[in-house]
Amino acid sequence: MCRKKRGHMDEHKRTCSFCGKVVDKKDSISHFDQDGISCTVCRLCIATGAKIFGMRNLKEDAGENNNGCPGAKDLKILTPKQIFTELEKHVIGQSALNKELAVFAFHHLSRAKRFLDGEDIATLGKKHNLMCVGKSGCGKSWSITQLARIIGVPVSFGDATRLTEMGYVGEDIDDILKGLFSSPKDKLGSVGIVVIDEVDKLVSRGKSEDVTRTGAQQAMLRALDGNQFEIFTTGDKRKSSEKMLIDTRMIPFICLGAFSDMDLCDKKSHQNIGFRRTASDITPQSESHLAQRIIEYGFSEEFINRFDNVHLINSLTVPDMIRILNNPNGGVIRNEVERFKCEGMNLEVKQEAVEAIATKAYAEGMGGARNLYSQLHTILKGVEFEYFGTGKQADVIVYADDVEGIKVRVKEYGNRKKKENGNSAVINQEEIGTAQKSL
């Protein structure tokens, strides 16, 4: 008995293996296996399947443009106002910086979308590089981290203290560029952003000139201008043979520096001096003046000229620090509350204590926002030492005493297992001596 071929009627008619309709040979696709059994799909079922799956796999495999990058649909374009609004939720007290970053990011996203749509890179105009100058703790690195989260393009962070001319000791520019790519096939890295922190460390401030620092400045010029780099895909450059080509014309640079020993403000000579001088007597330097000061600091003029904007970041004030402590979008206190909650403890910081912590952190003038974490940790470390890991549950209240400064009160509710059994009575209430530190 002959084996009948499924889905086959005669030379010109076929039966769809999915819907069962009889269709012409020209309106269907058939596949025969080694045993001669066929599977036939009609035109309607093909169209239905394509609609269901949205041709996603076909677009991912064959829908790349001439640039070898994913489609522009993968890139979300936000307006400068939208970017600014998101930054304001997380970067406190730096509205001018947030506006600068919002415009910078929109310009880059706009160029990146046109590039991913297949437009010739030569017609996209020049990329913008940005340098941000501000004291330690003012929020330079934090603001860039938040920007990277908002705009959704790869961002590679590099440290200028480890940057050398050729990368034999430390890192070179190739290593930082390679950080944009999770793999050699990760095409989205071609429109990423490179961030170099501690850029002021590229200047030798000693009596003898450090040639590695000067050489690192020179090595960065090609990347800042926008050139093609052929980099190794593995860590060991001496043994690696696999290379990839990176075009930095679509990769803008953001450089961050504290310039701690450089005066960042102009002081009006006609104003009062000493303790009577007010904040209005100190004005930020203009962009051109600031760039000139950075050149005098030790950077080459050709290096600084590669940056379209040199932005001075304001130092934080006491109200700014209070907002950082109370910020509901991941502020210092909220992070501590979540950490205590994981240990079965409820943490509350009274507003008067918040103001006292911010005042002391500002008065010390070291670390900026980072000092807020240090201050709060000093206050709470006694409670952590006594209670963390014990399974006890308690209410922890941080408050300010007019005489003794900031104090901590702990109301204990016993062991976690006892509470589960319904025993929620207050066992004791005590002052944690190691946490009673005055401001």
Side-chain angles (χ1 to χ4, degrees):
M1 183 176 180
C2 296
R3 198 173 190 180
K4 186 177 180 181
K5 298 179 180 179
R6 185 176 59 193
H8 179 73
M9 294 182 62
D10 56 30
E11 185 177 358
H12 298 288
K13 297 290 183 180
R14 299 179 185 274
T15 301
C16 179
S17 302
F18 289 88
C19 65
K21 292 182 180 180
V22 178
V23 293
D24 292 334
K25 181 179 179 180
K26 63 180 180 179
D27 292 329
S28 62
I29 298 176
S30 297
H31 171 73
F32 290 86
D33 60 17
Q34 295 180 350
D35 296 329
I37 299 177
S38 69
C39 177
T40 302
V41 186
C42 69
R43 184 186 297 272
L44 179 61
C45 289
I46 293 174
T48 302
K51 183 178 180 180
I52 293 174
F53 291 101
M55 303 300 288
R56 287 192 298 266
N57 294 334
L58 293 177
K59 287 185 178 181
E60 290 175 359
D61 295 337
E64 295 182 347
N65 55 40
N66 294 332
N67 297 319
C69 297
K73 66 179 182 61
D74 298 324
L75 199 62
K76 185 178 180 181
I77 305 297
L78 300 174
T79 66
K81 286 187 176 181
Q82 289 175 323
I83 299 173
F84 172 79
T85 301
E86 287 299 316
L87 284 173
E88 283 285 285
K89 295 178 182 179
H90 302 274
V91 184
I92 304 300
Q94 300 296 352
S95 295
L97 172 63
N98 292 339
K99 289 181 180 180
E100 186 77 45
L101 292 177
V103 174
F104 169 88
F106 176 78
H107 178 265
H108 174 61
L109 291 175
S110 178
R111 293 181 74 244
K113 183 179 184 303
R114 293 164 59 193
F115 173 74
L116 296 178
D117 279 336
E119 189 171 337
D120 187 0
I121 192 172
T123 65
L124 298 178
K126 182 179 175 291
K127 69 174 180 179
H128 289 175
N129 298 316
L130 175 65
M131 178 177 289
C132 296
V133 178
K135 293 183 178 180
S136 178
C138 66
K140 298 185 297 294
S141 301
W142 174 251
S143 60
I144 303 302
T145 301
Q146 295 305 310
L147 180 69
R149 178 186 59 83
I150 293 169
I151 65 178
V153 299
V155 177
S156 178
F157 284 83
D159 193 338
T161 57
R162 301 179 58 191
L163 199 62
T164 60
E165 182 177 7
M166 297 301 295
Y168 292 118
V169 179
E171 295 180 338
D172 60 11
I173 192 64
D174 291 10
D175 296 313
I176 300 177
L177 289 172
K178 187 168 59 178
L180 293 173
F181 300 83
S182 58
S183 69
K185 295 182 180 180
D186 182 13
K187 305 298 184 181
L188 196 59
S190 61
V191 292
I193 299 174
V194 168
V195 180
I196 299 180
D197 202 359
E198 304 288 348
V199 70
D200 50 310
K201 302 302 188 294
L202 290 181
V203 173
S204 178
R205 302 293 289 171
K207 294 182 179 180
S208 60
E209 184 178 3
D210 187 348
V211 294
T212 61
R213 299 302 183 195
T214 305
Q217 290 185 42
Q218 297 297 322
M220 285 184 58
L221 294 180
R222 290 183 60 242
L224 292 171
D225 273 336
N227 288 275
Q228 291 185 341
F229 284 75
E230 191 176 49
I231 65 175
F232 294 98
T233 58
T234 59
D236 194 339
K237 302 174 184 179
R238 294 169 295 181
K239 298 181 180 179
S240 177
S241 59
E242 298 182 2
K243 297 181 179 180
M244 61 185 299
L245 191 65
I246 297 178
D247 194 334
T248 60
R249 287 179 293 177
M250 290 302 303
I251 301 177
F253 280 68
I254 301 177
C255 288
L256 312 174
F259 295 87
S260 56
D261 54 346
M262 184 179 76
D263 189 7
L264 299 178
C265 293
D266 292 327
K267 300 173 180 61
K268 299 178 181 179
S269 58
H270 64 277
Q271 297 287 351
N272 294 327
I273 62 175
F275 296 105
R276 293 188 176 184
R277 190 177 61 198
T278 63
S280 61
D281 300 328
I282 303 176
T283 59
Q285 298 180 8
S286 64
E287 184 176 305
S288 59
H289 188 193
L290 182 59
Q292 183 60 39
R293 290 296 306 277
I294 294 176
I295 293 173
E296 295 173 359
Y297 187 83
F299 277 95
S300 65
E301 186 173 352
E302 56 182 345
F303 181 87
I304 298 301
N305 287 341
R306 262 65 177 184
F307 294 90
D308 303 271
N309 297 309
V310 180
H311 183 83
L312 177 63
I313 304 177
N314 298 323
S315 298
L316 296 174
T317 63
V318 173
D320 292 334
M321 290 187 171
I322 293 175
R323 290 175 58 199
I324 292 174
L325 286 167
N326 289 329
N327 185 16
N329 299 305
V332 176
I333 292 178
R334 179 182 173 182
N335 291 338
E336 291 298 299
V337 169
E338 294 296 327
R339 193 164 63 89
F340 270 68
K341 187 180 295 183
C342 293
E343 297 294 331
M345 307 181 75
N346 299 317
L347 173 65
E348 179 185 1
V349 183
K350 297 293 186 180
Q351 184 60 28
E352 61 268 20
V354 172
E355 295 173 0
I357 293 171
T359 301
K360 185 181 181 186
Y362 178 81
E364 291 183 352
M366 298 183 297
R370 296 187 186 94
N371 200 17
L372 297 174
Y373 286 93
S374 176
Q375 295 290 334
L376 197 56
H377 172 71
T378 300
I379 295 168
L380 295 173
K381 65 181 179 181
V383 179
E384 296 179 30
F385 178 80
E386 294 288 341
Y387 285 90
F388 276 25
T390 63
K392 295 180 180 180
Q393 293 188 331
D395 290 337
V396 181
I397 301 175
V398 181
Y399 63 98
D401 186 280
D402 293 337
V403 178
E404 301 182 33
I406 288 189
K407 300 176 67 176
V408 180
R409 179 177 291 114
V410 179
K411 183 186 293 185
E412 187 181 325
Y413 290 95
N415 191 279
R416 191 173 301 173
K417 294 182 179 179
K418 292 182 180 180
K419 185 174 182 180
E420 292 174 356
N421 296 330
N423 184 4
S424 60
V426 176
I427 294 178
N428 65 347
Q429 179 173 323
E430 61 180 353
E431 299 285 351
I432 305 301
T434 54
Q436 295 179 1
K437 297 213 171 184
S438 300
L439 287 180

